[in-house]
Amino acid sequence: MKAMILAAGKGTRVRPITYTIPKPMIPILEKPVMEFLLELLRRHGFTEIMVNVSHLANEIENYFRDGQRFGVQLGYSFEGRIVDGNLIGEALGSAGGMRRIQDFNPFFDETFVVLCGDGLIDLDLSVAVQWHREKGAIATIITKTVPLEEVPSYGVVVTDEEGRIKAFQEKPTVEAALSTTINTGIYIFEPEILDYIPSGQVYDIGGDLFPQLVAMDAPFYAIPMEFEWVDIGKVPDYWNAVRDVLSGKVRNVSIPGKEVRPGIYTGLNVSVNWDKVNFQGPVYIGGMTCIEDGATIIGPSMIGPNCRICSGALVENSVIFEYSRLGPDVRLVDKLVFGRYCVDKTGTAIDMQAAALDWLITDVRQMLPETTPLEQQEIAEIVNAVQ
């Protein structure tokens, strides 16, 4: 069976991570989120999968290649152009991307599934497809119910008692929302859906195609299903996803590495004196990371590979990406560190280099000048003042 993964977006709400990593490649404990989607599709017999790419397309294609090592066949549809030898992404929108694939050569010739490439899901796709066919639907959305305050982040769905969609709102305000049933970005389509998508122009599934189907009174349905779904639409969502995995709340994602102490997992060749570092799990530490004596690591926290946590530093309820160095006595609480950026749990980012704070958090590969004991004391006082 055939499927498509939507992977062309810039992921602006997940910046600064998506400055250098496309959303489908964002790692959940070092494994790209799109890899989990491929595993789900393969389990339910979807082995011919198209992926539309645009922003940082090479990152996705170079990792997944033809899909052979994941047990599927992958094809890529690039949306953009080349300028001075550089790929410039120009995404066509989620629906426009589908139409571009079909215009190149008719690929979608049977019932097919479309998944957004930025979520962790554990859904029985086979049951959903069966329901879709029994209804005679041309399009079906898998839906969930969320608290009212969360609806502005999603498309809102209103159905009749048969599940037929009567209204669709794309990211309404709390005041304007007609329901708390939301679009999860999991779709089932018949090939005829492509007839309603114009060729060669930007066209969105939620913003353009679905309102058109409602206006036409097309056989357009929603299936409310109970399933595990972790959306990674914004930086706080990603932060929460990693914490939930570490805490065992996400069933289909296991913590990698070796459990060296209760709730403490490590990759290869981690340098740490277990008697001189205070650990409170759950914690994951990537390979070739050094935790100096006197540091404190409190979970749920993830420290990526090739990091260095200096003496006296505190990491609590935080996520640290690879090659990060946390200076002596620095306190990192409820934060995400990505390169030169430090992001709090609301998504507010500080560019440590621009703020002249890159001596607090920096790239572990960068040579730092030696400091005297007096300078170290002055640094500690500045750190405390900043926090």
Side-chain angles (χ1 to χ4, degrees):
M1 292 192 289
K2 297 179 178 180
M4 179 177 176
I5 294 177
L6 301 171
K10 289 185 176 180
T12 56
R13 295 187 299 165
V14 200
R15 288 175 177 168
I17 298 173
T18 48
Y19 283 138
T20 56
I21 301 176
K23 278 180 76 174
M25 291 299 296
I26 291 177
I28 303 296
L29 297 188
E30 301 194 47
K31 184 173 177 179
V33 64
M34 182 172 144
E35 190 170 335
F36 293 103
L37 296 177
L38 292 182
E39 292 170 353
L40 173 75
L41 289 167
R42 186 188 67 239
R43 285 199 303 271
H44 291 277
F46 294 90
T47 56
E48 299 178 52
I49 303 165
M50 289 298 305
V51 184
N52 69 326
V53 292
S54 184
H55 176 62
L56 300 174
N58 283 339
E59 296 292 324
I60 298 172
E61 294 186 43
N62 290 342
Y63 183 87
F64 291 103
R65 298 291 181 175
D66 64 357
Q68 181 175 322
R69 67 189 177 99
F70 304 100
V72 298
Q73 297 180 70
L74 289 178
Y76 301 94
S77 174
F78 175 69
E79 299 171 13
R81 53 199 171 92
I82 296 179
V83 177
D84 297 329
N86 298 312
L87 294 179
I88 305 299
E90 293 178 344
L92 291 171
S94 48
M98 292 164 53
R99 183 60 194 248
R100 185 183 188 281
I101 292 168
Q102 195 75 349
D103 285 345
F104 175 79
N105 191 58
F107 173 75
F108 302 109
D109 56 1
E110 60 183 353
T111 303
F112 64 99
V113 167
V114 174
L115 304 178
C116 291
D118 59 358
L120 285 174
I121 58 176
D122 186 12
L123 170 70
D124 193 332
L125 285 173
S126 301
V127 168
V129 169
Q130 181 181 351
W131 191 97
H132 162 89
R133 287 171 170 162
E134 289 174 352
K135 286 290 184 179
I138 191 174
T140 297
I141 305 174
I142 310 301
T143 60
K144 285 184 75 71
T145 300
V146 300
L148 181 61
E149 62 270 16
E150 295 183 17
V151 295
S153 297
Y154 304 103
V156 169
V157 179
V158 179
T159 66
D160 63 17
E161 61 278 2
E162 298 296 322
R164 193 158 181 153
I165 296 175
K166 294 301 182 183
F168 187 89
Q169 297 174 289
E170 184 65 1
K171 297 181 175 64
T173 63
V174 168
E175 295 75 19
L178 298 175
S179 82
T180 56
T181 300
I182 59 99
N183 170 18
T184 62
I186 305 168
Y187 313 120
I188 307 168
F189 293 121
E190 293 302 313
E192 292 76 24
I193 198 70
L194 280 303
D195 297 337
Y196 301 102
I197 303 172
S199 294
Q201 68 181 68
V202 176
Y203 209 71
D204 185 61
I205 290 176
D208 299 305
L209 178 60
F210 286 166
Q212 179 184 354
L213 295 180
V214 171
M216 295 167 47
D217 196 27
F220 178 30
Y221 287 86
I223 310 176
M225 296 184 71
E226 287 301 318
F227 65 101
E228 201 164 84
W229 178 59
V230 181
D231 179 42
I232 307 176
K234 296 174 287 188
V235 170
D237 298 328
Y238 174 70
W239 182 72
N240 284 322
V242 172
R243 293 173 66 251
D244 286 348
V245 169
L246 288 168
S247 301
K249 296 178 181 178
V250 183
R251 294 190 307 273
N252 61 328
V253 183
S254 58
I255 300 175
K258 180 180 179 181
E259 189 173 15
V260 295
R261 296 284 191 280
I264 311 299
Y265 300 80
T266 69
L268 287 177
N269 207 32
V270 168
S271 174
V272 57
N273 186 335
W274 297 103
D275 296 327
K276 294 186 178 180
V277 176
N278 176 26
F279 283 100
Q280 298 177 35
V283 169
Y284 172 76
I285 305 167
M288 291 294 290
T289 281
C290 175
I291 313 291
E292 294 184 359
D293 295 354
T296 299
I297 315 295
I298 300 174
S301 289
M302 185 199 85
I303 301 171
N306 297 285
C307 291
R308 190 175 195 93
I309 309 301
C310 293
S311 179
L314 166 69
V315 176
E316 181 177 351
N317 201 26
S318 295
V319 176
I320 301 176
F321 275 71
E322 65 271 13
Y323 289 108
S324 297
R325 178 188 181 275
L326 201 63
D329 300 311
V330 170
R331 294 173 56 85
L332 194 76
V333 180
D334 297 343
K335 298 291 190 299
L336 181 145
V337 172
F338 179 79
R340 60 196 248 189
Y341 297 94
C342 183
V343 189
D344 68 21
K345 61 183 179 180
T346 69
T348 302
I350 298 174
D351 184 330
M352 303 300 284
Q353 183 175 324
L357 295 172
D358 50 341
W359 45 271
L360 292 175
I361 300 173
T362 190
D363 193 310
V364 75
R365 296 164 290 191
Q366 179 177 326
M367 294 296 292
L368 296 176
E370 293 293 329
T371 57
T372 67
L374 179 59
E375 289 172 329
Q376 291 175 3
Q377 181 180 348
E378 292 173 346
I379 287 173
E381 290 173 353
I382 294 172
V383 171
N384 291 331
V386 170
Q387 294 162 349

